[in-house]
Amino acid sequence: MLGLPKGKVFLIAWTAEWEKEFIWEKTQIENELGELILAVHHIGSTAVKNLSAKPIIDIGIELKDYQHGSECVQGLERLGYAYRGTNILPDRHYFSKGEPKTHQIHMFQTGSLYLEKILAFRDYLLKNDAALNEYQELKVKLSQKHEKDKLLYTDEKTEFINSILDSLGFN
């Protein structure tokens, strides 16, 4: 199942279908954008086996040059994405797909600290069952507490995420 309506927060148990959906979407993106991009990463909770997630596939795209993001707009629009600009989230071009939203793209210049943190946190959860379980419990609690407020849900996860990143040397 994919799709999160506006104004809602709920989690779905992890499913292998998310990985298949990412691989399909990655192939479409690579075919459409070609040499404009360096790499396509599955990010966010749908990328972490056994972690419940909002049913949105998060995709991180690396660009050689940040300015190439604007050159990707038409190609991603052909794939059904809407360009939301660079003012939604820091240091990235942001795109979303579907209503309810099924996919979102965070497009960074290679070497971006934000992307490095996202990938490091994902990889840590993939290797650390205790942290995965703790994060799972936190997400469930917060999704129930903030079922109509995605910003509060996200904000209240920040302390946990930052504690992991601090332990990995990100300050």
Side-chain angles (χ1 to χ4, degrees):
M1 173 182 168
L2 283 179
L4 186 70
K6 284 185 181 177
K8 302 276 185 189
V9 175
F10 60 85
L11 303 177
I12 304 290
W14 185 87
T15 171
E17 293 303 313
W18 289 341
E19 184 62 27
K20 291 176 187 172
E21 179 65 26
F22 166 73
I23 291 168
W24 166 258
E25 205 69 17
K26 175 183 178 183
T27 302
Q28 301 305 306
I29 291 166
E30 289 172 337
N31 288 340
E32 185 64 41
L33 300 180
E35 293 182 16
L36 287 173
I37 59 176
L38 296 176
V40 180
H41 305 279
H42 192 179
I43 60 174
S45 294
T46 61
V48 180
K49 187 175 181 179
N50 298 322
L51 182 62
S52 296
K54 297 185 312 283
I56 301 171
I57 305 295
D58 281 296
I59 300 168
I61 296 179
E62 282 184 73
L63 301 167
K64 186 185 325 182
D65 183 323
Y66 186 74
Q67 300 309 315
H68 291 165
S70 57
E71 297 173 39
C72 297
V73 172
Q74 287 185 342
L76 290 172
E77 286 176 342
R78 283 192 287 274
L79 297 177
Y81 287 89
Y83 184 52
R84 304 297 183 193
T86 58
N87 298 325
I88 303 288
L89 294 164
D91 292 335
R92 71 195 78 183
H93 295 271
Y94 178 71
F95 299 80
S96 64
K97 183 177 186 177
E99 188 51 52
K101 189 185 310 178
T102 59
H103 300 75
Q104 49 192 9
I105 291 175
H106 306 263
M107 190 176 279
F108 303 91
Q109 181 165 321
T110 192
S112 161
L113 182 59
Y114 288 103
L115 180 60
E116 288 178 14
K117 287 179 176 183
I118 289 167
L119 295 174
F121 183 69
R122 178 203 64 192
D123 293 348
Y124 185 83
L125 292 178
L126 287 168
K127 296 174 187 170
N128 188 310
D129 289 340
L132 176 88
N133 292 335
E134 188 177 350
Y135 191 51
Q136 170 72 17
E137 289 175 19
L138 176 64
K139 287 175 54 123
V140 168
K141 181 179 101 178
L142 293 176
S143 70
Q144 292 167 351
K145 181 179 175 185
H146 301 298
E147 63 187 27
K148 294 182 179 167
D149 193 331
K150 189 171 74 167
L151 292 177
L152 275 176
Y153 165 79
T154 300
D155 285 348
E156 290 189 21
K157 295 185 305 178
T158 301
E159 184 178 336
F160 178 86
I161 294 167
N162 284 342
S163 72
I164 299 296
L165 292 172
D166 287 347
S167 76
L168 297 173
F170 291 95
N171 297 335

